[in-house]
């Protein structure tokens, strides 16, 4: 099947469709609007190496850095960008960081945070909580 062709729907029990359809994406939110992805932050063992690898292999460009040289004694973060895509790679600067250590021990290198650009963040947040989402932290300005 060509890549841009939708899979054939297979009816079951009359008019019930089994499988994924891309027509009905659910109700539109009453408040707020999704404008796009902001960034993804990854917890990695070596932030410098991960950022360099993405620059060399995928054409990302170095954008920002935070670490000892900028006054942060806890983490080193390297930010890379490509067009509208932004990745942040973060590693601890010490071996006694419990938050990072627990997460990294359980999961290894991986995405810790995904940020979205939206209109009316409080409205989107409230709808997500009402739908059963668990809040990592409340909305702040």
């Amino acid at each position: 099947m060509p890549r841009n062709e939708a899979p054939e729907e297979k009816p079951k029990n009359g008019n019930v469709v089994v499988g994924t359809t891309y027509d009905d994406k659910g109700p539109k939110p009453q408040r707020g609007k999704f404008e796009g992805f902001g960034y993804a932050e990854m917890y990695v063992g070596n932030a410098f190496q991960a950022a360099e690898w993405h620059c060399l292999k995928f054409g990302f460009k170095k954008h920002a850095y935070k670490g000892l040289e900028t006054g942060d004694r806890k983490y080193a973060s390297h930010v890379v960008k490509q067009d509208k895509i932004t990745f942040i790679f973060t590693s601890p600067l010490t071996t006694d960081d419990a938050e990072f250590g627990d997460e990294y021990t359980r999961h290894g290198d991986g995405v810790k945070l995904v940020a979205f650009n939206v209109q009316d963040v409080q409205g989107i947040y409230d709808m997500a909580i009402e739908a059963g989402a668990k809040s990592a932290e409340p909305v702040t300005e």
Side-chain angles (χ1 to χ4, degrees), residues 9-39:
E9 295 181 351
K10 298 175 182 141
K12 180 181 178 185
N13 297 334
N15 61 0
V16 177
V17 175
V18 176
T20 303
T21 65
Y22 298 99
D23 297 331
D24 182 18
K25 297 178 183 167
K28 296 233 184 242
Q30 298 295 319
R31 296 170 52 187
K33 179 184 174 192
F34 174 77
E35 295 178 339
F37 290 96
Y39 63 89

Side-chain angles (χ1 to χ4, degrees), residues 42-59:
M42 275 74 83
Y43 273 9
V44 296
N46 186 332
F48 174 78
Q49 182 272 334
E52 287 291 318
W53 191 80
H54 279 74
C55 290
L56 290 171
K57 299 295 183 181
F58 297 116

Side-chain angles (χ1 to χ4, degrees), residues 46-103:
N46 186 332
F48 174 78
Q49 182 272 334
E52 287 291 318
W53 191 80
H54 279 74
C55 290
L56 290 171
K57 299 295 183 181
F58 297 116
F60 280 80
K61 302 290 182 206
K62 295 176 188 177
H63 183 70
Y65 166 77
K66 177 180 81 168
L68 286 174
E69 297 85 346
T70 63
D72 190 323
R73 297 212 165 283
K74 194 169 183 178
Y75 298 108
S77 294
H78 293 263
V79 181
V80 297
K81 289 186 86 168
Q82 184 183 81
D83 296 325
K84 295 180 181 179
I85 303 168
T86 304
F87 290 152
I88 303 172
F89 298 100
T90 299
S91 296
L93 293 171
T94 63
T95 58
D96 62 350
D97 186 276
E99 177 191 344
F100 184 94
D102 292 344
E103 181 82 14

